[in-house]
Amino acid sequence: MIGIVDYRMGNIKSIASMLRKIGAISKIVTDPGELYKAEKIILPGVGAFDEGIRCLKQFGFWHVLNELVMQGKVPVLGICLGMQLFGISSEEGKSKGLGWIPCHIEKFNFSRRKDHDLLKIPHMGWNYVIPEKDHYLFHYVPDPMRFYFVHSYHYVCHEDEYVLASTNYGYNFISVIARDNIMGVQFHPEKSHKYGLNLLKSFVEFP
Amino acid sequence: MFRPRVIPCLLLYRNGLYKTVKFKKPRYIGDPINAVRVFNEKEVDELMLLDIEASKKGKEPDYGHIEDIVGEAFMPVCYGGGVKTVEQMGRLFSLGVEKVSIGSAAIENPELVGSASRIFGSQSVVVTLDITQKKISGKYCIAIRNGRQMTRLDPEEMAVKVQEMGAGELVVNNIDRDGTMRGYNHELILRIVRRVGIPVVALGGAGSLADIQMVISQGGAAAAAAGSLFVFYGKLKAVLIHYPSQSELSQLFEA
């Protein structure tokens, strides 16, 4: 069973719809205790960083997630804000993130570019995702990979270790991260047609 | 960056899909869920769903119906129509709506834009400005309540204001061109694009793919939305839900 964390922030129904379409058994988990039954976890997220952290704590998911993911090594896929919550902190807010990925989240900054006033923030729309390494997450996804993005903030890592893929918007930014059982995508697979369907299929079937 | 977005805009009215001309004379098009399924197959970039009855009647959004429609959509959906509070917006997001558009409410209560963007993030908050041109003076002004009520508000000033309050995107909807299929109003779009840093989506008047290409390349729009273009076909405007192929769209935007 794939557990979709319901902390009141994210496209849980769309994710559930897509998982149903690929034939995976999933459950929208509102009671944190139920997350122990999940073989894999999806942490969705739409909205602001501090609100995300607050909701994870308020709805009782903070400790359960740390236990299952860091100790239990349960595979987890973070989506958009969900992925950002795995980091140390974000420029968007004041709260500390889960800290699973030792990177920070910063706002798009085009001030160094000559055409900076032409690039709008948020980065909103379809864009290409260029893999930097091989990973089972991309197994079924057709080439060239493209997904739907809508965000103003992105990961900044000082080492390449956890960078799985990048995307270009003004400059190359990190669009997919992975560390052992922890994976995160900045884009929305549940809003990316066949690309999203295939990414979720890969997540469900592998390793 | 991938090519600019091309967005079907579907009008919800009495649980069905309808199409208007200059915001009047709604004509039945079909079932929204069927339309979404067609758009899934066509790999549509994004969908806009506007409930044209909601603000007039002061109704709550029809959450059950919206949930059904959005649940079927494998592309991002922006929903608008009668949204007045952050609670309503939160509920819509929990149903799978990607972005919520506010129209009349942004005009009557600009604070809502600020609160919403603080809670949900500005990328989730869209403001739609329904604009009409006054016949005598030629001035553009904003209309609310689905075009029924004129205001004296200048669209450019309002655009700047809602951006300041935190809107992530602006839809500029030209009432006068709605359903006419004679092209977007480039002048209006360009005026607003020049004043704001957030993406501007053009809506109202698209009659062909060439119109879409032009409003982006010449009008400065970040994306183009259209209603009639994707629900009618041919001179006699037969109802047919359709959308260009991915290769037609790539060719459209090739430099």
PDB file of all heavy atoms in Angstrom, chain A residues 120, chain B residues 129 131-134 137-141 153-160 170 172 185-197 200 215 218-221:
ATOM      1  N   LYS A 120       9.722  35.451 -15.387  1.00  0.00           N
ATOM      2  CA  LYS A 120       8.773  35.665 -14.295  1.00  0.00           C
ATOM      3  C   LYS A 120       8.945  34.618 -13.194  1.00  0.00           C
ATOM      4  O   LYS A 120       9.320  33.480 -13.467  1.00  0.00           O
ATOM      5  CB  LYS A 120       7.338  35.573 -14.821  1.00  0.00           C
ATOM      6  CG  LYS A 120       7.071  36.313 -16.114  1.00  0.00           C
ATOM      7  CD  LYS A 120       6.928  37.806 -15.926  1.00  0.00           C
ATOM      8  CE  LYS A 120       6.407  38.446 -17.218  1.00  0.00           C
ATOM      9  NZ  LYS A 120       6.502  39.893 -17.196  1.00  0.00           N
TER      10      LYS A 120
ATOM     11  N   LEU B 129      -9.023  39.258 -14.287  1.00  0.00           N
ATOM     12  CA  LEU B 129      -9.657  40.561 -14.491  1.00  0.00           C
ATOM     13  C   LEU B 129     -10.529  40.488 -15.739  1.00  0.00           C
ATOM     14  O   LEU B 129     -10.026  40.216 -16.843  1.00  0.00           O
ATOM     15  CB  LEU B 129      -8.594  41.649 -14.675  1.00  0.00           C
ATOM     16  CG  LEU B 129      -7.631  41.881 -13.504  1.00  0.00           C
ATOM     17  CD1 LEU B 129      -6.601  42.947 -13.872  1.00  0.00           C
ATOM     18  CD2 LEU B 129      -8.383  42.303 -12.245  1.00  0.00           C
ATOM     19  N   ILE B 131     -12.419  42.449 -18.336  1.00  0.00           N
ATOM     20  CA  ILE B 131     -12.266  43.840 -18.764  1.00  0.00           C
ATOM     21  C   ILE B 131     -13.111  44.155 -19.978  1.00  0.00           C
ATOM     22  O   ILE B 131     -13.210  43.352 -20.916  1.00  0.00           O
ATOM     23  CB  ILE B 131     -10.780  44.106 -19.093  1.00  0.00           C
ATOM     24  CG1 ILE B 131      -9.941  43.887 -17.814  1.00  0.00           C
ATOM     25  CG2 ILE B 131     -10.571  45.515 -19.628  1.00  0.00           C
ATOM     26  CD1 ILE B 131      -8.465  43.810 -18.082  1.00  0.00           C
ATOM     27  N   THR B 132     -13.730  45.319 -19.947  1.00  0.00           N
ATOM     28  CA  THR B 132     -14.508  45.773 -21.086  1.00  0.00           C
ATOM     29  C   THR B 132     -14.094  47.207 -21.438  1.00  0.00           C
ATOM     30  O   THR B 132     -13.569  47.930 -20.588  1.00  0.00           O
ATOM     31  CB  THR B 132     -16.019  45.669 -20.788  1.00  0.00           C
ATOM     32  OG1 THR B 132     -16.746  46.033 -21.947  1.00  0.00           O
ATOM     33  CG2 THR B 132     -16.417  46.560 -19.637  1.00  0.00           C
ATOM     34  N   GLN B 133     -14.318  47.547 -22.673  1.00  0.00           N
ATOM     35  CA  GLN B 133     -13.933  48.876 -23.113  1.00  0.00           C
ATOM     36  C   GLN B 133     -15.172  49.756 -23.213  1.00  0.00           C
ATOM     37  O   GLN B 133     -16.161  49.374 -23.832  1.00  0.00           O
ATOM     38  CB  GLN B 133     -13.254  48.785 -24.478  1.00  0.00           C
ATOM     39  CG  GLN B 133     -12.602  50.085 -24.926  1.00  0.00           C
ATOM     40  CD  GLN B 133     -11.814  49.919 -26.211  1.00  0.00           C
ATOM     41  OE1 GLN B 133     -12.088  49.035 -27.005  1.00  0.00           O
ATOM     42  NE2 GLN B 133     -10.823  50.769 -26.411  1.00  0.00           N
ATOM     43  N   LYS B 134     -15.127  50.909 -22.595  1.00  0.00           N
ATOM     44  CA  LYS B 134     -16.282  51.807 -22.636  1.00  0.00           C
ATOM     45  C   LYS B 134     -16.420  52.362 -24.051  1.00  0.00           C
ATOM     46  O   LYS B 134     -15.442  52.752 -24.686  1.00  0.00           O
ATOM     47  CB  LYS B 134     -16.103  52.953 -21.647  1.00  0.00           C
ATOM     48  CG  LYS B 134     -16.145  52.488 -20.206  1.00  0.00           C
ATOM     49  CD  LYS B 134     -16.661  53.575 -19.272  1.00  0.00           C
ATOM     50  CE  LYS B 134     -17.200  52.989 -18.004  1.00  0.00           C
ATOM     51  NZ  LYS B 134     -16.415  53.405 -16.834  1.00  0.00           N
ATOM     52  N   SER B 137     -15.716  56.708 -24.291  1.00  0.00           N
ATOM     53  CA  SER B 137     -14.384  57.191 -23.960  1.00  0.00           C
ATOM     54  C   SER B 137     -13.283  56.275 -24.464  1.00  0.00           C
ATOM     55  O   SER B 137     -12.143  56.690 -24.595  1.00  0.00           O
ATOM     56  CB  SER B 137     -14.258  57.340 -22.446  1.00  0.00           C
ATOM     57  OG  SER B 137     -14.362  56.054 -21.850  1.00  0.00           O
ATOM     58  N   GLY B 138     -13.620  55.009 -24.722  1.00  0.00           N
ATOM     59  CA  GLY B 138     -12.583  54.071 -25.150  1.00  0.00           C
ATOM     60  C   GLY B 138     -11.750  53.553 -23.992  1.00  0.00           C
ATOM     61  O   GLY B 138     -10.799  52.804 -24.182  1.00  0.00           O
ATOM     62  N   LYS B 139     -12.115  53.983 -22.769  1.00  0.00           N
ATOM     63  CA  LYS B 139     -11.326  53.546 -21.607  1.00  0.00           C
ATOM     64  C   LYS B 139     -11.673  52.113 -21.251  1.00  0.00           C
ATOM     65  O   LYS B 139     -12.838  51.703 -21.346  1.00  0.00           O
ATOM     66  CB  LYS B 139     -11.722  54.400 -20.393  1.00  0.00           C
ATOM     67  CG  LYS B 139     -10.862  55.605 -20.185  1.00  0.00           C
ATOM     68  CD  LYS B 139     -11.063  56.119 -18.757  1.00  0.00           C
ATOM     69  CE  LYS B 139     -10.428  57.493 -18.659  1.00  0.00           C
ATOM     70  NZ  LYS B 139     -10.896  58.245 -17.516  1.00  0.00           N
ATOM     71  N   TYR B 140     -10.661  51.403 -20.780  1.00  0.00           N
ATOM     72  CA  TYR B 140     -10.904  50.047 -20.301  1.00  0.00           C
ATOM     73  C   TYR B 140     -11.265  50.106 -18.834  1.00  0.00           C
ATOM     74  O   TYR B 140     -10.694  50.880 -18.068  1.00  0.00           O
ATOM     75  CB  TYR B 140      -9.635  49.199 -20.460  1.00  0.00           C
ATOM     76  CG  TYR B 140      -9.309  48.878 -21.901  1.00  0.00           C
ATOM     77  CD1 TYR B 140      -8.237  49.491 -22.541  1.00  0.00           C
ATOM     78  CD2 TYR B 140     -10.095  47.967 -22.622  1.00  0.00           C
ATOM     79  CE1 TYR B 140      -7.944  49.204 -23.871  1.00  0.00           C
ATOM     80  CE2 TYR B 140      -9.794  47.668 -23.941  1.00  0.00           C
ATOM     81  CZ  TYR B 140      -8.731  48.299 -24.554  1.00  0.00           C
ATOM     82  OH  TYR B 140      -8.427  48.013 -25.857  1.00  0.00           O
ATOM     83  N   CYS B 141     -12.234  49.278 -18.446  1.00  0.00           N
ATOM     84  CA  CYS B 141     -12.545  49.198 -17.029  1.00  0.00           C
ATOM     85  C   CYS B 141     -12.839  47.749 -16.653  1.00  0.00           C
ATOM     86  O   CYS B 141     -13.109  46.918 -17.512  1.00  0.00           O
ATOM     87  CB  CYS B 141     -13.705  50.106 -16.654  1.00  0.00           C
ATOM     88  SG  CYS B 141     -15.256  49.565 -17.343  1.00  0.00           S
ATOM     89  N   LEU B 153     -12.655  51.003 -12.069  1.00  0.00           N
ATOM     90  CA  LEU B 153     -11.262  50.656 -11.839  1.00  0.00           C
ATOM     91  C   LEU B 153     -10.477  50.458 -13.123  1.00  0.00           C
ATOM     92  O   LEU B 153     -10.920  49.771 -14.045  1.00  0.00           O
ATOM     93  CB  LEU B 153     -11.187  49.388 -10.993  1.00  0.00           C
ATOM     94  CG  LEU B 153     -11.808  49.563  -9.609  1.00  0.00           C
ATOM     95  CD1 LEU B 153     -11.985  48.216  -8.946  1.00  0.00           C
ATOM     96  CD2 LEU B 153     -10.936  50.462  -8.747  1.00  0.00           C
ATOM     97  N   ASP B 154      -9.288  51.021 -13.138  1.00  0.00           N
ATOM     98  CA  ASP B 154      -8.423  50.893 -14.294  1.00  0.00           C
ATOM     99  C   ASP B 154      -7.685  49.551 -14.227  1.00  0.00           C
ATOM    100  O   ASP B 154      -7.036  49.253 -13.217  1.00  0.00           O
ATOM    101  CB  ASP B 154      -7.420  52.051 -14.287  1.00  0.00           C
ATOM    102  CG  ASP B 154      -6.356  51.881 -15.345  1.00  0.00           C
ATOM    103  OD1 ASP B 154      -6.737  51.743 -16.527  1.00  0.00           O
ATOM    104  OD2 ASP B 154      -5.169  51.855 -14.999  1.00  0.00           O
ATOM    105  N   PRO B 155      -7.773  48.754 -15.268  1.00  0.00           N
ATOM    106  CA  PRO B 155      -7.140  47.433 -15.244  1.00  0.00           C
ATOM    107  C   PRO B 155      -5.649  47.460 -14.951  1.00  0.00           C
ATOM    108  O   PRO B 155      -5.156  46.608 -14.214  1.00  0.00           O
ATOM    109  CB  PRO B 155      -7.393  46.891 -16.659  1.00  0.00           C
ATOM    110  CG  PRO B 155      -8.597  47.621 -17.135  1.00  0.00           C
ATOM    111  CD  PRO B 155      -8.542  48.969 -16.505  1.00  0.00           C
ATOM    112  N   GLU B 156      -4.931  48.435 -15.507  1.00  0.00           N
ATOM    113  CA  GLU B 156      -3.483  48.464 -15.273  1.00  0.00           C
ATOM    114  C   GLU B 156      -3.173  48.697 -13.804  1.00  0.00           C
ATOM    115  O   GLU B 156      -2.330  48.032 -13.218  1.00  0.00           O
ATOM    116  CB  GLU B 156      -2.834  49.570 -16.096  1.00  0.00           C
ATOM    117  CG  GLU B 156      -2.744  49.263 -17.583  1.00  0.00           C
ATOM    118  CD  GLU B 156      -2.235  50.448 -18.361  1.00  0.00           C
ATOM    119  OE1 GLU B 156      -1.096  50.893 -18.085  1.00  0.00           O
ATOM    120  OE2 GLU B 156      -2.969  50.932 -19.235  1.00  0.00           O
ATOM    121  N   GLU B 157      -3.875  49.647 -13.209  1.00  0.00           N
ATOM    122  CA  GLU B 157      -3.642  49.957 -11.783  1.00  0.00           C
ATOM    123  C   GLU B 157      -4.007  48.764 -10.920  1.00  0.00           C
ATOM    124  O   GLU B 157      -3.306  48.439  -9.968  1.00  0.00           O
ATOM    125  CB  GLU B 157      -4.490  51.173 -11.346  1.00  0.00           C
ATOM    126  CG  GLU B 157      -4.131  52.472 -12.048  1.00  0.00           C
ATOM    127  CD  GLU B 157      -2.651  52.789 -11.948  1.00  0.00           C
ATOM    128  OE1 GLU B 157      -2.057  52.566 -10.871  1.00  0.00           O
ATOM    129  OE2 GLU B 157      -2.068  53.234 -12.963  1.00  0.00           O
ATOM    130  N   MET B 158      -5.092  48.097 -11.276  1.00  0.00           N
ATOM    131  CA  MET B 158      -5.541  46.934 -10.502  1.00  0.00           C
ATOM    132  C   MET B 158      -4.532  45.807 -10.642  1.00  0.00           C
ATOM    133  O   MET B 158      -4.257  45.088  -9.681  1.00  0.00           O
ATOM    134  CB  MET B 158      -6.910  46.496 -11.019  1.00  0.00           C
ATOM    135  CG  MET B 158      -7.666  45.691 -10.000  1.00  0.00           C
ATOM    136  SD  MET B 158      -7.998  46.660  -8.529  1.00  0.00           S
ATOM    137  CE  MET B 158      -8.022  45.414  -7.279  1.00  0.00           C
ATOM    138  N   ALA B 159      -3.982  45.655 -11.834  1.00  0.00           N
ATOM    139  CA  ALA B 159      -2.994  44.603 -12.069  1.00  0.00           C
ATOM    140  C   ALA B 159      -1.787  44.818 -11.156  1.00  0.00           C
ATOM    141  O   ALA B 159      -1.296  43.892 -10.511  1.00  0.00           O
ATOM    142  CB  ALA B 159      -2.563  44.584 -13.532  1.00  0.00           C
ATOM    143  N   VAL B 160      -1.329  46.046 -11.104  1.00  0.00           N
ATOM    144  CA  VAL B 160      -0.181  46.369 -10.246  1.00  0.00           C
ATOM    145  C   VAL B 160      -0.531  46.097  -8.784  1.00  0.00           C
ATOM    146  O   VAL B 160       0.250  45.527  -8.026  1.00  0.00           O
ATOM    147  CB  VAL B 160       0.238  47.852 -10.439  1.00  0.00           C
ATOM    148  CG1 VAL B 160       1.275  48.253  -9.414  1.00  0.00           C
ATOM    149  CG2 VAL B 160       0.765  48.074 -11.842  1.00  0.00           C
ATOM    150  N   LEU B 170      -1.832  36.472 -13.522  1.00  0.00           N
ATOM    151  CA  LEU B 170      -2.950  37.345 -13.854  1.00  0.00           C
ATOM    152  C   LEU B 170      -3.603  36.865 -15.143  1.00  0.00           C
ATOM    153  O   LEU B 170      -2.911  36.661 -16.149  1.00  0.00           O
ATOM    154  CB  LEU B 170      -2.368  38.739 -14.092  1.00  0.00           C
ATOM    155  CG  LEU B 170      -3.232  39.968 -13.962  1.00  0.00           C
ATOM    156  CD1 LEU B 170      -3.899  40.023 -12.600  1.00  0.00           C
ATOM    157  CD2 LEU B 170      -2.353  41.200 -14.123  1.00  0.00           C
ATOM    158  N   VAL B 172      -6.017  38.028 -18.034  1.00  0.00           N
ATOM    159  CA  VAL B 172      -6.650  39.233 -18.568  1.00  0.00           C
ATOM    160  C   VAL B 172      -7.711  38.771 -19.555  1.00  0.00           C
ATOM    161  O   VAL B 172      -7.398  38.262 -20.643  1.00  0.00           O
ATOM    162  CB  VAL B 172      -5.599  40.135 -19.247  1.00  0.00           C
ATOM    163  CG1 VAL B 172      -6.265  41.311 -19.941  1.00  0.00           C
ATOM    164  CG2 VAL B 172      -4.612  40.635 -18.201  1.00  0.00           C
ATOM    165  N   ASN B 185      -7.147  40.897 -27.851  1.00  0.00           N
ATOM    166  CA  ASN B 185      -6.909  42.338 -27.818  1.00  0.00           C
ATOM    167  C   ASN B 185      -5.458  42.569 -27.375  1.00  0.00           C
ATOM    168  O   ASN B 185      -5.153  42.644 -26.183  1.00  0.00           O
ATOM    169  CB  ASN B 185      -7.896  42.982 -26.830  1.00  0.00           C
ATOM    170  CG  ASN B 185      -7.760  44.490 -26.799  1.00  0.00           C
ATOM    171  OD1 ASN B 185      -6.698  45.040 -27.135  1.00  0.00           O
ATOM    172  ND2 ASN B 185      -8.816  45.168 -26.403  1.00  0.00           N
ATOM    173  N   HIS B 186      -4.564  42.655 -28.366  1.00  0.00           N
ATOM    174  CA  HIS B 186      -3.143  42.765 -28.055  1.00  0.00           C
ATOM    175  C   HIS B 186      -2.788  44.016 -27.289  1.00  0.00           C
ATOM    176  O   HIS B 186      -1.921  44.002 -26.417  1.00  0.00           O
ATOM    177  CB  HIS B 186      -2.321  42.766 -29.351  1.00  0.00           C
ATOM    178  CG  HIS B 186      -2.301  41.452 -30.013  1.00  0.00           C
ATOM    179  ND1 HIS B 186      -1.227  40.989 -30.724  1.00  0.00           N
ATOM    180  CD2 HIS B 186      -3.235  40.474 -30.068  1.00  0.00           C
ATOM    181  CE1 HIS B 186      -1.499  39.791 -31.190  1.00  0.00           C
ATOM    182  NE2 HIS B 186      -2.701  39.448 -30.814  1.00  0.00           N
ATOM    183  N   GLU B 187      -3.434  45.097 -27.661  1.00  0.00           N
ATOM    184  CA  GLU B 187      -3.115  46.378 -27.049  1.00  0.00           C
ATOM    185  C   GLU B 187      -3.356  46.311 -25.543  1.00  0.00           C
ATOM    186  O   GLU B 187      -2.517  46.722 -24.742  1.00  0.00           O
ATOM    187  CB  GLU B 187      -4.004  47.456 -27.678  1.00  0.00           C
ATOM    188  CG  GLU B 187      -3.682  48.843 -27.219  1.00  0.00           C
ATOM    189  CD  GLU B 187      -4.940  49.710 -27.034  1.00  0.00           C
ATOM    190  OE1 GLU B 187      -6.066  49.233 -27.291  1.00  0.00           O
ATOM    191  OE2 GLU B 187      -4.754  50.863 -26.617  1.00  0.00           O
ATOM    192  N   LEU B 188      -4.502  45.750 -25.178  1.00  0.00           N
ATOM    193  CA  LEU B 188      -4.840  45.639 -23.758  1.00  0.00           C
ATOM    194  C   LEU B 188      -3.848  44.742 -23.032  1.00  0.00           C
ATOM    195  O   LEU B 188      -3.339  45.072 -21.960  1.00  0.00           O
ATOM    196  CB  LEU B 188      -6.263  45.078 -23.632  1.00  0.00           C
ATOM    197  CG  LEU B 188      -6.744  44.714 -22.233  1.00  0.00           C
ATOM    198  CD1 LEU B 188      -6.781  45.926 -21.336  1.00  0.00           C
ATOM    199  CD2 LEU B 188      -8.123  44.055 -22.296  1.00  0.00           C
ATOM    200  N   ILE B 189      -3.544  43.609 -23.634  1.00  0.00           N
ATOM    201  CA  ILE B 189      -2.636  42.654 -23.003  1.00  0.00           C
ATOM    202  C   ILE B 189      -1.264  43.298 -22.796  1.00  0.00           C
ATOM    203  O   ILE B 189      -0.683  43.249 -21.709  1.00  0.00           O
ATOM    204  CB  ILE B 189      -2.472  41.386 -23.876  1.00  0.00           C
ATOM    205  CG1 ILE B 189      -3.808  40.731 -24.189  1.00  0.00           C
ATOM    206  CG2 ILE B 189      -1.506  40.406 -23.235  1.00  0.00           C
ATOM    207  CD1 ILE B 189      -4.479  40.054 -23.036  1.00  0.00           C
ATOM    208  N   LEU B 190      -0.770  43.931 -23.838  1.00  0.00           N
ATOM    209  CA  LEU B 190       0.563  44.524 -23.776  1.00  0.00           C
ATOM    210  C   LEU B 190       0.657  45.605 -22.709  1.00  0.00           C
ATOM    211  O   LEU B 190       1.640  45.710 -21.974  1.00  0.00           O
ATOM    212  CB  LEU B 190       0.894  45.119 -25.151  1.00  0.00           C
ATOM    213  CG  LEU B 190       2.365  45.273 -25.520  1.00  0.00           C
ATOM    214  CD1 LEU B 190       3.121  43.980 -25.298  1.00  0.00           C
ATOM    215  CD2 LEU B 190       2.476  45.696 -26.971  1.00  0.00           C
ATOM    216  N   ARG B 191      -0.405  46.395 -22.595  1.00  0.00           N
ATOM    217  CA  ARG B 191      -0.415  47.462 -21.582  1.00  0.00           C
ATOM    218  C   ARG B 191      -0.200  46.892 -20.195  1.00  0.00           C
ATOM    219  O   ARG B 191       0.502  47.452 -19.374  1.00  0.00           O
ATOM    220  CB  ARG B 191      -1.788  48.135 -21.564  1.00  0.00           C
ATOM    221  CG  ARG B 191      -1.926  49.249 -22.533  1.00  0.00           C
ATOM    222  CD  ARG B 191      -3.093  50.093 -22.107  1.00  0.00           C
ATOM    223  NE  ARG B 191      -3.692  50.756 -23.226  1.00  0.00           N
ATOM    224  CZ  ARG B 191      -4.719  51.585 -23.122  1.00  0.00           C
ATOM    225  NH1 ARG B 191      -5.274  51.787 -21.947  1.00  0.00           N
ATOM    226  NH2 ARG B 191      -5.191  52.167 -24.194  1.00  0.00           N
ATOM    227  N   ILE B 192      -0.884  45.772 -19.939  1.00  0.00           N
ATOM    228  CA  ILE B 192      -0.798  45.168 -18.608  1.00  0.00           C
ATOM    229  C   ILE B 192       0.529  44.445 -18.421  1.00  0.00           C
ATOM    230  O   ILE B 192       1.171  44.565 -17.375  1.00  0.00           O
ATOM    231  CB  ILE B 192      -2.005  44.252 -18.360  1.00  0.00           C
ATOM    232  CG1 ILE B 192      -3.260  45.130 -18.310  1.00  0.00           C
ATOM    233  CG2 ILE B 192      -1.845  43.468 -17.072  1.00  0.00           C
ATOM    234  CD1 ILE B 192      -4.555  44.410 -18.120  1.00  0.00           C
ATOM    235  N   VAL B 193       0.961  43.741 -19.440  1.00  0.00           N
ATOM    236  CA  VAL B 193       2.238  43.022 -19.367  1.00  0.00           C
ATOM    237  C   VAL B 193       3.381  43.969 -19.006  1.00  0.00           C
ATOM    238  O   VAL B 193       4.279  43.629 -18.234  1.00  0.00           O
ATOM    239  CB  VAL B 193       2.536  42.290 -20.700  1.00  0.00           C
ATOM    240  CG1 VAL B 193       3.978  41.860 -20.804  1.00  0.00           C
ATOM    241  CG2 VAL B 193       1.622  41.084 -20.843  1.00  0.00           C
ATOM    242  N   ARG B 194       3.315  45.175 -19.545  1.00  0.00           N
ATOM    243  CA  ARG B 194       4.389  46.147 -19.294  1.00  0.00           C
ATOM    244  C   ARG B 194       4.426  46.632 -17.859  1.00  0.00           C
ATOM    245  O   ARG B 194       5.428  47.147 -17.403  1.00  0.00           O
ATOM    246  CB  ARG B 194       4.227  47.350 -20.222  1.00  0.00           C
ATOM    247  CG  ARG B 194       4.627  47.028 -21.624  1.00  0.00           C
ATOM    248  CD  ARG B 194       4.734  48.256 -22.510  1.00  0.00           C
ATOM    249  NE  ARG B 194       5.256  47.858 -23.802  1.00  0.00           N
ATOM    250  CZ  ARG B 194       4.772  48.264 -24.971  1.00  0.00           C
ATOM    251  NH1 ARG B 194       3.746  49.095 -25.010  1.00  0.00           N
ATOM    252  NH2 ARG B 194       5.306  47.849 -26.096  1.00  0.00           N
ATOM    253  N   ARG B 195       3.319  46.484 -17.149  1.00  0.00           N
ATOM    254  CA  ARG B 195       3.247  47.021 -15.782  1.00  0.00           C
ATOM    255  C   ARG B 195       3.564  45.991 -14.713  1.00  0.00           C
ATOM    256  O   ARG B 195       3.780  46.353 -13.556  1.00  0.00           O
ATOM    257  CB  ARG B 195       1.844  47.585 -15.503  1.00  0.00           C
ATOM    258  CG  ARG B 195       1.394  48.708 -16.407  1.00  0.00           C
ATOM    259  CD  ARG B 195       2.144  49.996 -16.184  1.00  0.00           C
ATOM    260  NE  ARG B 195       2.025  50.484 -14.835  1.00  0.00           N
ATOM    261  CZ  ARG B 195       1.044  51.278 -14.382  1.00  0.00           C
ATOM    262  NH1 ARG B 195       0.074  51.669 -15.196  1.00  0.00           N
ATOM    263  NH2 ARG B 195       1.026  51.682 -13.125  1.00  0.00           N
ATOM    264  N   VAL B 196       3.519  44.700 -15.068  1.00  0.00           N
ATOM    265  CA  VAL B 196       3.697  43.684 -14.009  1.00  0.00           C
ATOM    266  C   VAL B 196       4.814  42.700 -14.309  1.00  0.00           C
ATOM    267  O   VAL B 196       5.189  42.514 -15.462  1.00  0.00           O
ATOM    268  CB  VAL B 196       2.393  42.878 -13.768  1.00  0.00           C
ATOM    269  CG1 VAL B 196       1.297  43.779 -13.234  1.00  0.00           C
ATOM    270  CG2 VAL B 196       1.948  42.168 -15.013  1.00  0.00           C
ATOM    271  N   GLY B 197       5.320  42.078 -13.244  1.00  0.00           N
ATOM    272  CA  GLY B 197       6.379  41.088 -13.398  1.00  0.00           C
ATOM    273  C   GLY B 197       5.868  39.662 -13.352  1.00  0.00           C
ATOM    274  O   GLY B 197       6.591  38.718 -13.641  1.00  0.00           O
ATOM    275  N   VAL B 200       1.223  36.828 -17.347  1.00  0.00           N
ATOM    276  CA  VAL B 200      -0.109  37.265 -17.768  1.00  0.00           C
ATOM    277  C   VAL B 200      -0.644  36.262 -18.774  1.00  0.00           C
ATOM    278  O   VAL B 200       0.021  35.915 -19.757  1.00  0.00           O
ATOM    279  CB  VAL B 200      -0.037  38.670 -18.421  1.00  0.00           C
ATOM    280  CG1 VAL B 200      -1.374  39.050 -19.067  1.00  0.00           C
ATOM    281  CG2 VAL B 200       0.354  39.717 -17.378  1.00  0.00           C
ATOM    282  N   VAL B 215      -0.455  36.442 -29.669  1.00  0.00           N
ATOM    283  CA  VAL B 215      -0.656  37.129 -28.387  1.00  0.00           C
ATOM    284  C   VAL B 215       0.528  36.878 -27.451  1.00  0.00           C
ATOM    285  O   VAL B 215       0.814  37.671 -26.556  1.00  0.00           O
ATOM    286  CB  VAL B 215      -2.004  36.750 -27.724  1.00  0.00           C
ATOM    287  CG1 VAL B 215      -1.927  35.404 -27.016  1.00  0.00           C
ATOM    288  CG2 VAL B 215      -2.457  37.837 -26.777  1.00  0.00           C
ATOM    289  N   GLN B 218       3.733  38.762 -29.696  1.00  0.00           N
ATOM    290  CA  GLN B 218       3.592  40.214 -29.830  1.00  0.00           C
ATOM    291  C   GLN B 218       2.902  40.873 -28.649  1.00  0.00           C
ATOM    292  O   GLN B 218       3.173  42.023 -28.326  1.00  0.00           O
ATOM    293  CB  GLN B 218       2.823  40.550 -31.111  1.00  0.00           C
ATOM    294  CG  GLN B 218       3.665  40.294 -32.351  1.00  0.00           C
ATOM    295  CD  GLN B 218       2.826  40.283 -33.608  1.00  0.00           C
ATOM    296  OE1 GLN B 218       1.866  41.035 -33.722  1.00  0.00           O
ATOM    297  NE2 GLN B 218       3.174  39.416 -34.545  1.00  0.00           N
ATOM    298  N   GLY B 219       1.967  40.131 -28.056  1.00  0.00           N
ATOM    299  CA  GLY B 219       1.237  40.731 -26.932  1.00  0.00           C
ATOM    300  C   GLY B 219       1.988  40.605 -25.619  1.00  0.00           C
ATOM    301  O   GLY B 219       1.633  41.230 -24.634  1.00  0.00           O
ATOM    302  N   GLY B 220       3.020  39.764 -25.603  1.00  0.00           N
ATOM    303  CA  GLY B 220       3.788  39.614 -24.376  1.00  0.00           C
ATOM    304  C   GLY B 220       3.162  38.689 -23.339  1.00  0.00           C
ATOM    305  O   GLY B 220       3.650  38.585 -22.213  1.00  0.00           O
ATOM    306  N   ALA B 221       2.091  38.014 -23.729  1.00  0.00           N
ATOM    307  CA  ALA B 221       1.456  37.111 -22.765  1.00  0.00           C
ATOM    308  C   ALA B 221       2.361  35.911 -22.508  1.00  0.00           C
ATOM    309  O   ALA B 221       3.084  35.469 -23.391  1.00  0.00           O
ATOM    310  CB  ALA B 221       0.110  36.627 -23.308  1.00  0.00           C
TER     311      ALA B 221
END
